[in-house]
Amino acid sequence: MSSNVRVFAWRDVLVVCDDGRSVPKDYDELLAIALELAESHPAGIGLLSIIPESAVPPSDDVRAAMNSALERVSKSLRGAVWYIEGAGFQAAMVRAVLLGLRFLRASPYPRHTSGTLEEALTWLLPLLHGNAARLHDVNTAAGYIRERRAAAAAVASIAAR
């Protein structure tokens, strides 16, 4: 998988961080991870997609690969949330585009956009196995996700030298 997409799981949540510079092959690998996670969580999985502040719009080929991957795993998805990092005009524009896409395309699972990681998890976790009781996991999940992203950023920084 390219360094522009980071994928990992926290329990039954697939976490994808994509800055828009990915390639279609990245989504083949992401799909394999998602299907494996879905198999180990038959009650369903959640998708947390993190859009970094430095993100750019993905190419048409990448967008098609994303949609294909989502379609293939849709029966296992209980919800998908896009956490858009940053503030100001760019973040508002990304949220507006995602909101528009949400209304234009039907989906078998609920979708949401969020401006904070905790808000994203507060929305997503109750849709998963355990429902409202999962709200007590928000801080644990957020901490784990931040740690994984910080570790990946450190590795990328060292590799870039």
Side-chain angles (χ1 to χ4, degrees):
M1 190 164 299
S2 78
S3 63
N4 298 314
V5 178
R6 303 228 186 327
V7 180
F8 58 91
W10 179 81
R11 298 183 185 170
D12 53 357
V13 176
L14 181 67
V15 181
V16 178
C17 186
D18 185 355
D19 68 2
R21 294 171 181 88
S22 55
V23 296
K25 183 179 182 241
D26 293 333
Y27 282 86
D28 294 338
E29 294 176 43
L30 183 148
L31 176 61
I33 294 166
L35 291 172
E36 186 177 313
L37 186 64
E39 187 174 318
S40 62
H41 293 280
I45 62 173
L47 171 64
L48 169 63
S49 185
I50 301 172
I51 313 296
E53 193 169 4
S54 62
V56 298
S59 69
D60 289 342
D61 290 347
V62 169
R63 198 171 297 125
M66 281 181 203
N67 289 335
S68 176
L70 282 171
E71 188 173 309
R72 294 264 322 269
V73 76
S74 67
K75 286 182 175 54
S76 296
L77 279 177
R78 299 299 169 256
V81 61
W82 286 264
Y83 160 41
I84 297 97
E85 293 182 323
F89 177 76
Q90 180 163 348
M93 180 183 66
V94 171
R95 278 191 285 278
V97 167
L98 285 171
L99 184 63
L101 291 174
R102 221 169 67 199
F103 287 116
L104 292 176
R105 189 167 196 193
S107 172
Y109 50 86
R111 297 170 290 174
H112 185 69
T113 58
S114 176
T116 70
L117 181 55
E118 286 76 10
E119 177 191 339
L121 291 165
T122 297
W123 181 86
L124 182 62
L125 291 178
L127 298 175
L128 303 174
H129 182 72
N131 305 101
R134 295 293 299 274
L135 287 173
H136 76 276
D137 291 335
V138 168
N139 290 331
T140 303
Y144 178 81
I145 291 165
R146 286 189 176 105
E147 286 175 14
R148 285 291 303 259
R149 290 189 67 209
V155 169
S157 175
I158 291 168
R161 292 182 192 169

